[in-house]
Amino acid sequence: MASTAFGTICYLPENSNVSYSSILELPVDSPAEVISYGDDPLQFAELWLPYNKSEERKFPLLIFIHGGCWLNQFDIKHTHAFSTALANAGYAVYSIEYRRTGDDGGGWPGSYADIRQAIQFAGTLTDYPLDLSQLIVAGHSAGGHLALLIGSDAEFAKESNITGVVGLAPIVDIEAYALGSNSCQTATPQFMGATPGELPDVYNAANPARQTLHPETMLLHGKLDSIVPLAQSQDSKSPLQQIDEAGHFDLIHPGTPAFQALLKYLAGAYQ
């Protein structure tokens, strides 16, 4: 449920363990700008700015990577409510679209290369009221996998002013995930090009569980997640907040307690 006031969209509380379809039904606003970071039509980012832009200040910038099993059938649109709500909460959001499995140049390592390129381009957005001195990278599900990898590259993170990484129901161990049987797990070898047994070295390079993650990494994961099992985050050495009664999509639904947990984290992460 949602109501509109003062030209912005306000999301009312919802029950936990929400469905994917419920997110698609939410009202949304539009990004302030759509920015190309590369030559491919899919290499763009949506820049969402806080609605109270009359203030003479620079807004904290959250870089966001959407999920969807790395598949091109799930695009950035399903996270428009997420970005709308964050803008309403006072954050600027740089939400990245990228080439995915099924797109020319998508899959591993092309999808990851797109994310790196997009983040590098974010550093050039000096004409907008953005605080580019401390960037937090968040990713949901398969996007969480890419966000964790970005943060594990210490040199890139330092050059890009990445001060924190948030995994929202993230795929942390892609090797273990590829051996599962749900529809997202079985899409993993498509993304990687083969199974872990066939490409062990490639999986090792693409596996956050095999890397040293960013020192300021936080994982948020619902206990009822049936798409990315909670064990993916529990087995990580990074701090984890387990969210009771939350499913996979609660973390990108603005009306849920899980989304409130993200807001609480962000309020303390930007200093």
Side-chain angles (χ1 to χ4, degrees), residues 9 15 85 94-95 98 100 104 129 133 179 188 211 216 241 252-254:
I9 296 173
N15 293 327
Y94 182 77
S95 185
Y98 54 101
R100 289 145 283 143
D104 290 340
S133 67
L179 302 178
T188 307
Q211 318 304 323
E216 296 298 327
Q241 181 176 354
I252 57 171
H253 190 303

Side-chain angles (χ1 to χ4, degrees), residues 20 22-26 28 46 64-69 71 73-83 97-98 100 140-141 248-249 252-254:
Y20 177 74
S22 71
I23 294 172
L24 300 180
E25 295 168 356
L26 294 171
V28 299
E46 297 176 341
F64 180 66
I65 309 166
H66 74 80
C69 310
L71 295 169
Q73 69 192 79
F74 301 104
D75 64 16
I76 198 171
K77 293 178 183 177
H78 78 273
T79 59
H80 279 179
F82 175 88
S83 295
E97 186 58 287
Y98 54 101
R100 289 145 283 143
H140 177 244
S141 192
H248 188 65
F249 298 106
I252 57 171
H253 190 303

Side-chain angles (χ1 to χ4, degrees), residues 106-181:
W108 181 264
S111 298
Y112 178 64
D114 279 3
I115 300 302
R116 289 176 63 94
Q117 186 173 338
I119 293 175
Q120 287 176 321
F121 194 86
T124 70
L125 302 179
T126 54
D127 290 338
Y128 298 93
L130 305 173
D131 181 358
L132 300 176
S133 67
Q134 50 175 347
L135 307 181
I136 292 178
V137 179
H140 177 244
S141 192
H145 159 257
L146 297 171
L148 293 176
L149 278 181
I150 286 291
S152 73
D153 186 333
E155 182 176 353
F156 181 81
K158 183 178 180 180
E159 292 174 351
S160 304
N161 294 330
I162 295 172
T163 57
V165 177
V166 190
L168 307 176
I171 296 168
V172 181
D173 188 339
I174 195 172
E175 295 174 54
Y177 196 73
L179 302 178
S181 60

Side-chain angles (χ1 to χ4, degrees), residues 18 60 64 89 101 118 125 133 152 154 192 209 223 234 248 260:
V18 300
F64 180 66
T101 306
L125 302 179
S133 67
S152 73
M192 292 298 298
K223 290 185 177 181
Q234 287 176 322
H248 188 65
Q260 293 302 312

